[in-house]
Amino acid sequence: MTLIARTRARAVETLALDSPHTRNALSATLVGELADALTDAGEDPGVRAVVLTHTGNTFSAGADLKDPPSPEALVVLLRQIIELPKPVLARVTGHVRAGGLGLLAACDIAAASTQATFAFTEVRIGVAPAVISLPILPRADPRALARHYLTGERFTARQAVATGLLTTCDSDVDEALAPILDGLRRSAPGALAETKRLLTARVLEAFDRDAADLTALSARLFSSPQAREGTTAFLERRDPAWVV
């Protein structure tokens, strides 16, 4: 069973994370299938843009704690989105947690329903948003991001726009995306590719500079006793030992 549903309309390839029973958690399998689908879209001259969306009420719950991708695989996927020679747009109508926010930040444009909610939940299970910081830190407001990173609180789509994690939010996300997709269809493919290279240059500098260190940090934290307690508590639906 495939975990990525593919459809196409008027040169826009839509890739939907299609594992609603796991809340589209980023498993090793899902990450691999998404990477393959992005490769196909990037190489297809009939594709002008890619929309990354989801089935179910959750865009992505973050890393699959039962079958997590390696930190290296997640770095490769995030960089692939950024380097794809086609614009990649996120379309969100549900909730986004942890690693799912890394996917949003890697996209060139991100739109969400005003009903969507967001949270960096890593600190609550004893880890940190390490690898996903590669696309997030260059694009988000540092002061707003500090609160979201450090507390794990849920925040709204409007707050996500203010933070720089979203481009726009609307009660009808498809209505918000319609003029954007129309503009992309009217743009020359080569010009889009070169313009995207201009926009992503500083983000890729962060990958070149920090990817190895943040990959090592992620691996170290996920193997720590604190993370074992945090993930066990999460799976058992109880508070971890450090809650006071």
Side-chain angles (χ1 to χ4, degrees), residues 15-198:
L15 305 177
L17 308 184
D18 191 20
S19 182
H21 62 288
T22 67
R23 299 172 64 225
N24 293 316
L26 300 178
S27 65
T29 303
L30 187 147
V31 165
E33 288 190 18
L34 179 56
D36 290 342
L38 287 166
T39 296
D40 292 344
E43 294 174 350
D44 189 335
V47 174
R48 182 64 53 84
V50 176
V51 172
L52 182 60
T53 189
H54 59 101
T55 61
N57 64 5
T58 302
F59 176 79
S60 177
D64 188 327
L65 298 180
K66 296 180 180 179
D67 178 31
S70 69
E72 293 82 3
L74 188 55
V75 169
V76 169
L77 176 65
L78 295 175
R79 183 160 193 151
Q80 182 181 14
I81 294 171
I82 293 163
E83 291 187 320
L84 204 77
K86 318 283 175 73
V88 182
L89 297 79
R91 174 190 175 276
V92 177
T93 61
H95 310 302
V96 191
R97 301 290 183 264
L101 281 151
L103 292 183
L104 291 192
C107 293
D108 303 290
I109 295 169
S113 161
T114 49
Q115 301 305 307
T117 67
F118 306 82
F120 292 99
T121 52
E122 290 88 347
V123 289
R124 297 197 176 188
I125 64 165
V127 295
V131 167
I132 63 170
S133 288
L134 291 166
I136 289 172
L137 292 180
R139 287 178 160 163
D141 175 73
R143 297 299 286 178
L145 197 61
R147 175 174 178 172
H148 300 325
Y149 262 34
L150 291 170
T151 67
E153 294 172 288
R154 277 187 286 182
F155 55 100
T156 67
R158 288 189 174 89
Q159 287 174 301
V161 171
T163 303
L165 294 166
L166 287 177
T167 308
T168 187
C169 67
D170 195 282
S171 58
D172 186 336
V173 69
D174 293 313
E175 187 173 297
L177 281 172
I180 298 171
L181 291 172
D182 181 65
L184 296 176
R185 290 185 176 106
R186 293 174 182 274
S187 303
L192 282 177
E194 291 303 323
T195 302
K196 176 168 177 171
R197 283 167 58 88
L198 291 173

